[in-house]
Amino acid sequence: MMLVDGDAGSTSDWDDRWNHIKKFLERSGPFMHPDFEPSTESLQFMLETCKILVIGAGGLGCELLKNLALSGFRNIHVVDMDNIDVSNLNRQFLFRAKDVGRPKADVAADFINSRVPGCFCPSFYLYLEFHIIVCGLDSIVARRWMNGMLLSLLVYEDGVLDPSSIIPLIDGGTEGFKGNARVILPGMTACIDCTLELYPPQINFPMCTIASMPRLPEHCIEYVRILQWPKEMPFGDDMALDGDDPEHIQWVYQKSLERAAEFSITGVTYRLTQGVVKRIIPAVASTNAAIAAACATEVFKIASSAYLPLNNYMVFNDVDGLYTYTFEAERKENCSACSQVPSDLHFSPSSKLQEVLDYLTESTSLQMKSPAITTTMDGKNKTLYLQSVASIEQRTRPNLTKTLKELGLADGQELAVADVTTPQTVLFKLCFTS
């Protein structure tokens, strides 16, 4: 972490430094927000007061940090849990070869601080301190968790949302030559979970193909990842496969080459191995640049109030030519994340708990990863199933084969479900069907 010229407010700006911004904020124009009054105050708010949190310092995050810093935002915070890999250097332009192995957030913050005078870009954060949060993530789970965090900060008085508790979320995502940008006002507009069906499902290969009839290099890598690693445990009994550990990836790569040779399959490379293990989505620098520009523009609009923000979802596609389209994603009345009411679960009393678990993970509108289910019986909290703690999983595993009636559950009973996709417990109401 580095601070340039003392602090964000003490740097003397050279003449005409912000003229390009003043043209938008200090004079009227045909696209202005109808309630906006041109003045010098908006620029001062951006330069001195507005705090931005950028989540993710990868391909999209590097572009976002650069755009925001050059647009007049001086107080930008960044967080990213990954370290820099050699494969990042072709598009994540804030990093150099000497930075490989270092935390992305620290290097990105140092780069912005050193190249943009007056910019204060630390790599730590507290959510409540920020006016706007921008996501440049490659993980749906991380997006959903951030979405849930902002929803948990909302304040309701007699059932009415307090607008001052809303922290706008600008979310961008890319996959190859496709991308999207969206503006989310938590509690008011469609949240991430409201439109979960729009995200593409993760590609999984049939186990029978992986084990018996591999045809692609990916099949060989998945065989090693799913079957050989837990069987051979090359780095110890308790060592899980870490996609960021070069020794782990090298072991999987060598074993995948051996399996590929058995079936005369070509194409297994170290980079492909890491991509399959980490579920890396292909990245194109130009797409990242376009989506980051859209996101930074939305941050500028919201921070200045000079223009109407995007309403509220923009898709971008330059596979064949260039196509972009904007539409309003509608808020779901029964959204499990933002609706404020328990969602209904329709099951027969003879349904097994395993069926409920399968629904929570396979439903396109929920897509949970490892849900833990609890309920209240006779005034006491009862864990029906919890997967993340081995001792509790073993103790509650027999419940999966029991029917809901055998577990003592009744029509209308509330089930509380915790999952890695959200920091909040999600409530469901059990509705028995005949």
Side-chain angles (χ1 to χ4, degrees), residues 343-377:
S343 300
D344 291 343
L345 285 177
H346 296 275
F347 284 93
S348 164
S350 60
S351 299
K352 292 180 170 56
L353 186 64
Q354 180 67 60
E355 296 176 51
V356 177
L357 195 73
D358 292 341
Y359 174 77
L360 295 174
T361 56
E362 296 173 6
S363 168
T364 56
S365 62
L366 296 174
Q367 298 185 36
M368 293 186 174
K369 300 301 178 182
S370 55
I373 308 174
T374 61
T375 190
T376 301
M377 289 186 175

PDB file of all heavy atoms in Angstrom, residues 343-377:
ATOM      1  N   SER A 343     -39.177 -17.913   0.744  1.00  0.00           N
ATOM      2  CA  SER A 343     -39.617 -18.539  -0.496  1.00  0.00           C
ATOM      3  C   SER A 343     -40.283 -19.877  -0.188  1.00  0.00           C
ATOM      4  O   SER A 343     -39.916 -20.558   0.780  1.00  0.00           O
ATOM      5  CB  SER A 343     -38.425 -18.765  -1.428  1.00  0.00           C
ATOM      6  OG  SER A 343     -37.801 -17.549  -1.752  1.00  0.00           O
ATOM      7  N   ASP A 344     -41.258 -20.242  -1.010  1.00  0.00           N
ATOM      8  CA  ASP A 344     -41.975 -21.505  -0.796  1.00  0.00           C
ATOM      9  C   ASP A 344     -41.193 -22.674  -1.373  1.00  0.00           C
ATOM     10  O   ASP A 344     -40.620 -22.583  -2.468  1.00  0.00           O
ATOM     11  CB  ASP A 344     -43.350 -21.447  -1.452  1.00  0.00           C
ATOM     12  CG  ASP A 344     -44.291 -20.462  -0.752  1.00  0.00           C
ATOM     13  OD1 ASP A 344     -43.992 -20.101   0.395  1.00  0.00           O
ATOM     14  OD2 ASP A 344     -45.292 -20.069  -1.368  1.00  0.00           O
ATOM     15  N   LEU A 345     -41.168 -23.767  -0.631  1.00  0.00           N
ATOM     16  CA  LEU A 345     -40.615 -25.032  -1.103  1.00  0.00           C
ATOM     17  C   LEU A 345     -41.753 -26.039  -1.174  1.00  0.00           C
ATOM     18  O   LEU A 345     -42.334 -26.392  -0.136  1.00  0.00           O
ATOM     19  CB  LEU A 345     -39.520 -25.545  -0.150  1.00  0.00           C
ATOM     20  CG  LEU A 345     -38.157 -24.864  -0.190  1.00  0.00           C
ATOM     21  CD1 LEU A 345     -37.244 -25.471   0.871  1.00  0.00           C
ATOM     22  CD2 LEU A 345     -37.525 -25.001  -1.560  1.00  0.00           C
ATOM     23  N   HIS A 346     -42.108 -26.483  -2.374  1.00  0.00           N
ATOM     24  CA  HIS A 346     -43.239 -27.385  -2.555  1.00  0.00           C
ATOM     25  C   HIS A 346     -42.749 -28.830  -2.643  1.00  0.00           C
ATOM     26  O   HIS A 346     -42.101 -29.222  -3.625  1.00  0.00           O
ATOM     27  CB  HIS A 346     -44.012 -27.011  -3.823  1.00  0.00           C
ATOM     28  CG  HIS A 346     -44.645 -25.647  -3.745  1.00  0.00           C
ATOM     29  ND1 HIS A 346     -45.876 -25.440  -3.164  1.00  0.00           N
ATOM     30  CD2 HIS A 346     -44.197 -24.426  -4.178  1.00  0.00           C
ATOM     31  CE1 HIS A 346     -46.182 -24.155  -3.239  1.00  0.00           C
ATOM     32  NE2 HIS A 346     -45.174 -23.519  -3.848  1.00  0.00           N
ATOM     33  N   PHE A 347     -43.031 -29.599  -1.614  1.00  0.00           N
ATOM     34  CA  PHE A 347     -42.642 -31.005  -1.573  1.00  0.00           C
ATOM     35  C   PHE A 347     -43.732 -31.819  -0.888  1.00  0.00           C
ATOM     36  O   PHE A 347     -44.494 -31.303  -0.057  1.00  0.00           O
ATOM     37  CB  PHE A 347     -41.316 -31.196  -0.807  1.00  0.00           C
ATOM     38  CG  PHE A 347     -40.106 -30.786  -1.581  1.00  0.00           C
ATOM     39  CD1 PHE A 347     -39.581 -29.511  -1.462  1.00  0.00           C
ATOM     40  CD2 PHE A 347     -39.488 -31.676  -2.457  1.00  0.00           C
ATOM     41  CE1 PHE A 347     -38.467 -29.121  -2.182  1.00  0.00           C
ATOM     42  CE2 PHE A 347     -38.367 -31.306  -3.184  1.00  0.00           C
ATOM     43  CZ  PHE A 347     -37.854 -30.026  -3.044  1.00  0.00           C
ATOM     44  N   SER A 348     -43.779 -33.081  -1.240  1.00  0.00           N
ATOM     45  CA  SER A 348     -44.691 -34.011  -0.574  1.00  0.00           C
ATOM     46  C   SER A 348     -44.118 -34.411   0.787  1.00  0.00           C
ATOM     47  O   SER A 348     -42.886 -34.441   0.948  1.00  0.00           O
ATOM     48  CB  SER A 348     -44.889 -35.256  -1.454  1.00  0.00           C
ATOM     49  OG  SER A 348     -45.451 -36.302  -0.711  1.00  0.00           O
ATOM     50  N   PRO A 349     -44.966 -34.730   1.761  1.00  0.00           N
ATOM     51  CA  PRO A 349     -44.453 -35.208   3.060  1.00  0.00           C
ATOM     52  C   PRO A 349     -43.600 -36.461   2.920  1.00  0.00           C
ATOM     53  O   PRO A 349     -42.745 -36.741   3.773  1.00  0.00           O
ATOM     54  CB  PRO A 349     -45.730 -35.500   3.857  1.00  0.00           C
ATOM     55  CG  PRO A 349     -46.790 -34.678   3.214  1.00  0.00           C
ATOM     56  CD  PRO A 349     -46.436 -34.613   1.762  1.00  0.00           C
ATOM     57  N   SER A 350     -43.808 -37.217   1.832  1.00  0.00           N
ATOM     58  CA  SER A 350     -43.036 -38.440   1.611  1.00  0.00           C
ATOM     59  C   SER A 350     -41.711 -38.190   0.883  1.00  0.00           C
ATOM     60  O   SER A 350     -40.935 -39.118   0.666  1.00  0.00           O
ATOM     61  CB  SER A 350     -43.871 -39.451   0.812  1.00  0.00           C
ATOM     62  OG  SER A 350     -44.240 -38.904  -0.447  1.00  0.00           O
ATOM     63  N   SER A 351     -41.473 -36.930   0.493  1.00  0.00           N
ATOM     64  CA  SER A 351     -40.206 -36.596  -0.158  1.00  0.00           C
ATOM     65  C   SER A 351     -39.065 -36.724   0.842  1.00  0.00           C
ATOM     66  O   SER A 351     -39.225 -36.429   2.036  1.00  0.00           O
ATOM     67  CB  SER A 351     -40.240 -35.171  -0.718  1.00  0.00           C
ATOM     68  OG  SER A 351     -41.253 -35.023  -1.678  1.00  0.00           O
ATOM     69  N   LYS A 352     -37.919 -37.139   0.371  1.00  0.00           N
ATOM     70  CA  LYS A 352     -36.755 -37.276   1.244  1.00  0.00           C
ATOM     71  C   LYS A 352     -35.990 -35.945   1.312  1.00  0.00           C
ATOM     72  O   LYS A 352     -36.052 -35.115   0.406  1.00  0.00           O
ATOM     73  CB  LYS A 352     -35.845 -38.388   0.736  1.00  0.00           C
ATOM     74  CG  LYS A 352     -36.465 -39.778   0.870  1.00  0.00           C
ATOM     75  CD  LYS A 352     -35.520 -40.849   0.364  1.00  0.00           C
ATOM     76  CE  LYS A 352     -36.037 -42.241   0.737  1.00  0.00           C
ATOM     77  NZ  LYS A 352     -37.400 -42.501   0.249  1.00  0.00           N
ATOM     78  N   LEU A 353     -35.244 -35.788   2.392  1.00  0.00           N
ATOM     79  CA  LEU A 353     -34.462 -34.565   2.560  1.00  0.00           C
ATOM     80  C   LEU A 353     -33.451 -34.407   1.438  1.00  0.00           C
ATOM     81  O   LEU A 353     -33.129 -33.286   1.037  1.00  0.00           O
ATOM     82  CB  LEU A 353     -33.751 -34.582   3.920  1.00  0.00           C
ATOM     83  CG  LEU A 353     -33.001 -33.292   4.289  1.00  0.00           C
ATOM     84  CD1 LEU A 353     -33.966 -32.127   4.443  1.00  0.00           C
ATOM     85  CD2 LEU A 353     -32.193 -33.478   5.578  1.00  0.00           C
ATOM     86  N   GLN A 354     -32.959 -35.528   0.899  1.00  0.00           N
ATOM     87  CA  GLN A 354     -32.013 -35.472  -0.218  1.00  0.00           C
ATOM     88  C   GLN A 354     -32.631 -34.760  -1.421  1.00  0.00           C
ATOM     89  O   GLN A 354     -31.938 -34.028  -2.141  1.00  0.00           O
ATOM     90  CB  GLN A 354     -31.588 -36.886  -0.615  1.00  0.00           C
ATOM     91  CG  GLN A 354     -30.594 -36.950  -1.781  1.00  0.00           C
ATOM     92  CD  GLN A 354     -29.233 -36.363  -1.429  1.00  0.00           C
ATOM     93  OE1 GLN A 354     -28.584 -36.840  -0.525  1.00  0.00           O
ATOM     94  NE2 GLN A 354     -28.809 -35.334  -2.146  1.00  0.00           N
ATOM     95  N   GLU A 355     -33.927 -34.941  -1.636  1.00  0.00           N
ATOM     96  CA  GLU A 355     -34.604 -34.276  -2.745  1.00  0.00           C
ATOM     97  C   GLU A 355     -34.625 -32.763  -2.545  1.00  0.00           C
ATOM     98  O   GLU A 355     -34.493 -31.997  -3.508  1.00  0.00           O
ATOM     99  CB  GLU A 355     -36.024 -34.819  -2.887  1.00  0.00           C
ATOM    100  CG  GLU A 355     -36.095 -36.296  -3.265  1.00  0.00           C
ATOM    101  CD  GLU A 355     -37.520 -36.807  -3.307  1.00  0.00           C
ATOM    102  OE1 GLU A 355     -38.360 -36.163  -3.982  1.00  0.00           O
ATOM    103  OE2 GLU A 355     -37.822 -37.834  -2.656  1.00  0.00           O
ATOM    104  N   VAL A 356     -34.808 -32.334  -1.309  1.00  0.00           N
ATOM    105  CA  VAL A 356     -34.773 -30.894  -1.006  1.00  0.00           C
ATOM    106  C   VAL A 356     -33.374 -30.352  -1.262  1.00  0.00           C
ATOM    107  O   VAL A 356     -33.200 -29.292  -1.872  1.00  0.00           O
ATOM    108  CB  VAL A 356     -35.189 -30.631   0.459  1.00  0.00           C
ATOM    109  CG1 VAL A 356     -35.072 -29.151   0.788  1.00  0.00           C
ATOM    110  CG2 VAL A 356     -36.604 -31.131   0.710  1.00  0.00           C
ATOM    111  N   LEU A 357     -32.367 -31.103  -0.830  1.00  0.00           N
ATOM    112  CA  LEU A 357     -30.972 -30.696  -1.040  1.00  0.00           C
ATOM    113  C   LEU A 357     -30.659 -30.596  -2.537  1.00  0.00           C
ATOM    114  O   LEU A 357     -30.021 -29.641  -2.990  1.00  0.00           O
ATOM    115  CB  LEU A 357     -30.040 -31.696  -0.367  1.00  0.00           C
ATOM    116  CG  LEU A 357     -28.587 -31.258  -0.181  1.00  0.00           C
ATOM    117  CD1 LEU A 357     -28.484 -30.221   0.925  1.00  0.00           C
ATOM    118  CD2 LEU A 357     -27.701 -32.447   0.139  1.00  0.00           C
ATOM    119  N   ASP A 358     -31.122 -31.573  -3.314  1.00  0.00           N
ATOM    120  CA  ASP A 358     -30.900 -31.568  -4.758  1.00  0.00           C
ATOM    121  C   ASP A 358     -31.554 -30.346  -5.407  1.00  0.00           C
ATOM    122  O   ASP A 358     -30.987 -29.725  -6.314  1.00  0.00           O
ATOM    123  CB  ASP A 358     -31.435 -32.847  -5.401  1.00  0.00           C
ATOM    124  CG  ASP A 358     -30.643 -34.077  -4.992  1.00  0.00           C
ATOM    125  OD1 ASP A 358     -29.504 -33.919  -4.522  1.00  0.00           O
ATOM    126  OD2 ASP A 358     -31.167 -35.197  -5.136  1.00  0.00           O
ATOM    127  N   TYR A 359     -32.752 -30.005  -4.943  1.00  0.00           N
ATOM    128  CA  TYR A 359     -33.450 -28.846  -5.493  1.00  0.00           C
ATOM    129  C   TYR A 359     -32.684 -27.553  -5.220  1.00  0.00           C
ATOM    130  O   TYR A 359     -32.540 -26.693  -6.105  1.00  0.00           O
ATOM    131  CB  TYR A 359     -34.860 -28.746  -4.899  1.00  0.00           C
ATOM    132  CG  TYR A 359     -35.600 -27.495  -5.312  1.00  0.00           C
ATOM    133  CD1 TYR A 359     -36.166 -27.382  -6.582  1.00  0.00           C
ATOM    134  CD2 TYR A 359     -35.704 -26.405  -4.445  1.00  0.00           C
ATOM    135  CE1 TYR A 359     -36.828 -26.222  -6.975  1.00  0.00           C
ATOM    136  CE2 TYR A 359     -36.360 -25.245  -4.822  1.00  0.00           C
ATOM    137  CZ  TYR A 359     -36.920 -25.160  -6.088  1.00  0.00           C
ATOM    138  OH  TYR A 359     -37.567 -24.007  -6.473  1.00  0.00           O
ATOM    139  N   LEU A 360     -32.171 -27.410  -4.012  1.00  0.00           N
ATOM    140  CA  LEU A 360     -31.435 -26.200  -3.646  1.00  0.00           C
ATOM    141  C   LEU A 360     -30.181 -26.019  -4.495  1.00  0.00           C
ATOM    142  O   LEU A 360     -29.790 -24.894  -4.806  1.00  0.00           O
ATOM    143  CB  LEU A 360     -31.056 -26.240  -2.163  1.00  0.00           C
ATOM    144  CG  LEU A 360     -32.215 -26.218  -1.160  1.00  0.00           C
ATOM    145  CD1 LEU A 360     -31.686 -26.410   0.256  1.00  0.00           C
ATOM    146  CD2 LEU A 360     -32.992 -24.905  -1.258  1.00  0.00           C
ATOM    147  N   THR A 361     -29.551 -27.114  -4.876  1.00  0.00           N
ATOM    148  CA  THR A 361     -28.309 -27.031  -5.644  1.00  0.00           C
ATOM    149  C   THR A 361     -28.544 -27.013  -7.157  1.00  0.00           C
ATOM    150  O   THR A 361     -27.774 -26.397  -7.896  1.00  0.00           O
ATOM    151  CB  THR A 361     -27.373 -28.203  -5.303  1.00  0.00           C
ATOM    152  OG1 THR A 361     -28.064 -29.445  -5.515  1.00  0.00           O
ATOM    153  CG2 THR A 361     -26.921 -28.125  -3.854  1.00  0.00           C
ATOM    154  N   GLU A 362     -29.593 -27.661  -7.628  1.00  0.00           N
ATOM    155  CA  GLU A 362     -29.817 -27.800  -9.066  1.00  0.00           C
ATOM    156  C   GLU A 362     -30.789 -26.791  -9.656  1.00  0.00           C
ATOM    157  O   GLU A 362     -30.798 -26.577 -10.871  1.00  0.00           O
ATOM    158  CB  GLU A 362     -30.320 -29.224  -9.365  1.00  0.00           C
ATOM    159  CG  GLU A 362     -29.290 -30.307  -9.032  1.00  0.00           C
ATOM    160  CD  GLU A 362     -29.851 -31.712  -9.174  1.00  0.00           C
ATOM    161  OE1 GLU A 362     -31.009 -31.830  -9.650  1.00  0.00           O
ATOM    162  OE2 GLU A 362     -29.158 -32.670  -8.807  1.00  0.00           O
ATOM    163  N   SER A 363     -31.612 -26.165  -8.824  1.00  0.00           N
ATOM    164  CA  SER A 363     -32.561 -25.180  -9.328  1.00  0.00           C
ATOM    165  C   SER A 363     -31.818 -24.000  -9.953  1.00  0.00           C
ATOM    166  O   SER A 363     -30.888 -23.448  -9.363  1.00  0.00           O
ATOM    167  CB  SER A 363     -33.448 -24.673  -8.181  1.00  0.00           C
ATOM    168  OG  SER A 363     -34.179 -23.531  -8.581  1.00  0.00           O
ATOM    169  N   THR A 364     -32.232 -23.588 -11.155  1.00  0.00           N
ATOM    170  CA  THR A 364     -31.565 -22.481 -11.840  1.00  0.00           C
ATOM    171  C   THR A 364     -31.745 -21.157 -11.098  1.00  0.00           C
ATOM    172  O   THR A 364     -30.939 -20.236 -11.268  1.00  0.00           O
ATOM    173  CB  THR A 364     -32.108 -22.327 -13.271  1.00  0.00           C
ATOM    174  OG1 THR A 364     -33.537 -22.162 -13.231  1.00  0.00           O
ATOM    175  CG2 THR A 364     -31.753 -23.527 -14.112  1.00  0.00           C
ATOM    176  N   SER A 365     -32.766 -21.051 -10.270  1.00  0.00           N
ATOM    177  CA  SER A 365     -33.019 -19.803  -9.548  1.00  0.00           C
ATOM    178  C   SER A 365     -32.319 -19.754  -8.198  1.00  0.00           C
ATOM    179  O   SER A 365     -32.325 -18.711  -7.534  1.00  0.00           O
ATOM    180  CB  SER A 365     -34.528 -19.607  -9.347  1.00  0.00           C
ATOM    181  OG  SER A 365     -35.062 -20.660  -8.564  1.00  0.00           O
ATOM    182  N   LEU A 366     -31.707 -20.868  -7.775  1.00  0.00           N
ATOM    183  CA  LEU A 366     -31.026 -20.906  -6.478  1.00  0.00           C
ATOM    184  C   LEU A 366     -29.538 -21.215  -6.615  1.00  0.00           C
ATOM    185  O   LEU A 366     -28.692 -20.515  -6.072  1.00  0.00           O
ATOM    186  CB  LEU A 366     -31.690 -21.929  -5.554  1.00  0.00           C
ATOM    187  CG  LEU A 366     -33.147 -21.630  -5.155  1.00  0.00           C
ATOM    188  CD1 LEU A 366     -33.731 -22.791  -4.365  1.00  0.00           C
ATOM    189  CD2 LEU A 366     -33.223 -20.351  -4.334  1.00  0.00           C
ATOM    190  N   GLN A 367     -29.204 -22.315  -7.296  1.00  0.00           N
ATOM    191  CA  GLN A 367     -27.820 -22.695  -7.590  1.00  0.00           C
ATOM    192  C   GLN A 367     -26.909 -22.619  -6.362  1.00  0.00           C
ATOM    193  O   GLN A 367     -25.830 -22.036  -6.402  1.00  0.00           O
ATOM    194  CB  GLN A 367     -27.254 -21.813  -8.710  1.00  0.00           C
ATOM    195  CG  GLN A 367     -27.993 -21.955 -10.028  1.00  0.00           C
ATOM    196  CD  GLN A 367     -27.338 -21.165 -11.140  1.00  0.00           C
ATOM    197  OE1 GLN A 367     -26.118 -21.055 -11.212  1.00  0.00           O
ATOM    198  NE2 GLN A 367     -28.152 -20.598 -12.026  1.00  0.00           N
ATOM    199  N   MET A 368     -27.346 -23.216  -5.261  1.00  0.00           N
ATOM    200  CA  MET A 368     -26.498 -23.245  -4.076  1.00  0.00           C
ATOM    201  C   MET A 368     -25.395 -24.284  -4.243  1.00  0.00           C
ATOM    202  O   MET A 368     -25.471 -25.163  -5.098  1.00  0.00           O
ATOM    203  CB  MET A 368     -27.347 -23.541  -2.839  1.00  0.00           C
ATOM    204  CG  MET A 368     -28.322 -22.436  -2.494  1.00  0.00           C
ATOM    205  SD  MET A 368     -29.186 -22.718  -0.942  1.00  0.00           S
ATOM    206  CE  MET A 368     -30.081 -21.172  -0.763  1.00  0.00           C
ATOM    207  N   LYS A 369     -24.358 -24.180  -3.419  1.00  0.00           N
ATOM    208  CA  LYS A 369     -23.186 -25.041  -3.563  1.00  0.00           C
ATOM    209  C   LYS A 369     -23.125 -26.140  -2.506  1.00  0.00           C
ATOM    210  O   LYS A 369     -22.930 -27.307  -2.827  1.00  0.00           O
ATOM    211  CB  LYS A 369     -21.911 -24.190  -3.516  1.00  0.00           C
ATOM    212  CG  LYS A 369     -21.844 -23.145  -4.610  1.00  0.00           C
ATOM    213  CD  LYS A 369     -21.909 -23.780  -5.995  1.00  0.00           C
ATOM    214  CE  LYS A 369     -21.902 -22.734  -7.090  1.00  0.00           C
ATOM    215  NZ  LYS A 369     -22.023 -23.328  -8.442  1.00  0.00           N
ATOM    216  N   SER A 370     -23.245 -25.784  -1.256  1.00  0.00           N
ATOM    217  CA  SER A 370     -23.203 -26.781  -0.173  1.00  0.00           C
ATOM    218  C   SER A 370     -24.134 -26.333   0.947  1.00  0.00           C
ATOM    219  O   SER A 370     -23.691 -25.944   2.033  1.00  0.00           O
ATOM    220  CB  SER A 370     -21.773 -26.944   0.359  1.00  0.00           C
ATOM    221  OG  SER A 370     -21.250 -25.693   0.753  1.00  0.00           O
ATOM    222  N   PRO A 371     -25.447 -26.355   0.685  1.00  0.00           N
ATOM    223  CA  PRO A 371     -26.404 -25.806   1.646  1.00  0.00           C
ATOM    224  C   PRO A 371     -26.457 -26.581   2.962  1.00  0.00           C
ATOM    225  O   PRO A 371     -26.404 -27.808   2.981  1.00  0.00           O
ATOM    226  CB  PRO A 371     -27.740 -25.897   0.897  1.00  0.00           C
ATOM    227  CG  PRO A 371     -27.540 -26.963  -0.137  1.00  0.00           C
ATOM    228  CD  PRO A 371     -26.109 -26.872  -0.531  1.00  0.00           C
ATOM    229  N   ALA A 372     -26.541 -25.838   4.052  1.00  0.00           N
ATOM    230  CA  ALA A 372     -26.752 -26.414   5.388  1.00  0.00           C
ATOM    231  C   ALA A 372     -28.174 -26.070   5.805  1.00  0.00           C
ATOM    232  O   ALA A 372     -28.569 -24.899   5.786  1.00  0.00           O
ATOM    233  CB  ALA A 372     -25.747 -25.835   6.376  1.00  0.00           C
ATOM    234  N   ILE A 373     -28.955 -27.086   6.171  1.00  0.00           N
ATOM    235  CA  ILE A 373     -30.385 -26.900   6.441  1.00  0.00           C
ATOM    236  C   ILE A 373     -30.655 -27.062   7.925  1.00  0.00           C
ATOM    237  O   ILE A 373     -30.306 -28.084   8.532  1.00  0.00           O
ATOM    238  CB  ILE A 373     -31.231 -27.916   5.643  1.00  0.00           C
ATOM    239  CG1 ILE A 373     -30.852 -27.878   4.160  1.00  0.00           C
ATOM    240  CG2 ILE A 373     -32.710 -27.625   5.821  1.00  0.00           C
ATOM    241  CD1 ILE A 373     -31.542 -28.950   3.335  1.00  0.00           C
ATOM    242  N   THR A 374     -31.275 -26.052   8.519  1.00  0.00           N
ATOM    243  CA  THR A 374     -31.676 -26.125   9.930  1.00  0.00           C
ATOM    244  C   THR A 374     -33.129 -25.699  10.050  1.00  0.00           C
ATOM    245  O   THR A 374     -33.696 -25.066   9.153  1.00  0.00           O
ATOM    246  CB  THR A 374     -30.807 -25.216  10.811  1.00  0.00           C
ATOM    247  OG1 THR A 374     -30.967 -23.851  10.390  1.00  0.00           O
ATOM    248  CG2 THR A 374     -29.345 -25.600  10.730  1.00  0.00           C
ATOM    249  N   THR A 375     -33.746 -26.031  11.183  1.00  0.00           N
ATOM    250  CA  THR A 375     -35.115 -25.625  11.452  1.00  0.00           C
ATOM    251  C   THR A 375     -35.299 -25.498  12.957  1.00  0.00           C
ATOM    252  O   THR A 375     -34.376 -25.800  13.732  1.00  0.00           O
ATOM    253  CB  THR A 375     -36.127 -26.635  10.867  1.00  0.00           C
ATOM    254  OG1 THR A 375     -37.448 -26.080  10.940  1.00  0.00           O
ATOM    255  CG2 THR A 375     -36.077 -27.957  11.617  1.00  0.00           C
ATOM    256  N   THR A 376     -36.456 -25.051  13.356  1.00  0.00           N
ATOM    257  CA  THR A 376     -36.766 -24.920  14.783  1.00  0.00           C
ATOM    258  C   THR A 376     -37.874 -25.893  15.138  1.00  0.00           C
ATOM    259  O   THR A 376     -38.931 -25.910  14.496  1.00  0.00           O
ATOM    260  CB  THR A 376     -37.205 -23.486  15.128  1.00  0.00           C
ATOM    261  OG1 THR A 376     -36.164 -22.574  14.775  1.00  0.00           O
ATOM    262  CG2 THR A 376     -37.489 -23.354  16.618  1.00  0.00           C
ATOM    263  N   MET A 377     -37.609 -26.730  16.139  1.00  0.00           N
ATOM    264  CA  MET A 377     -38.599 -27.702  16.613  1.00  0.00           C
ATOM    265  C   MET A 377     -38.699 -27.617  18.128  1.00  0.00           C
ATOM    266  O   MET A 377     -37.682 -27.677  18.829  1.00  0.00           O
ATOM    267  CB  MET A 377     -38.197 -29.124  16.205  1.00  0.00           C
ATOM    268  CG  MET A 377     -38.328 -29.413  14.733  1.00  0.00           C
ATOM    269  SD  MET A 377     -37.991 -31.149  14.365  1.00  0.00           S
ATOM    270  CE  MET A 377     -38.375 -31.198  12.629  1.00  0.00           C
TER     271      MET A 377
END
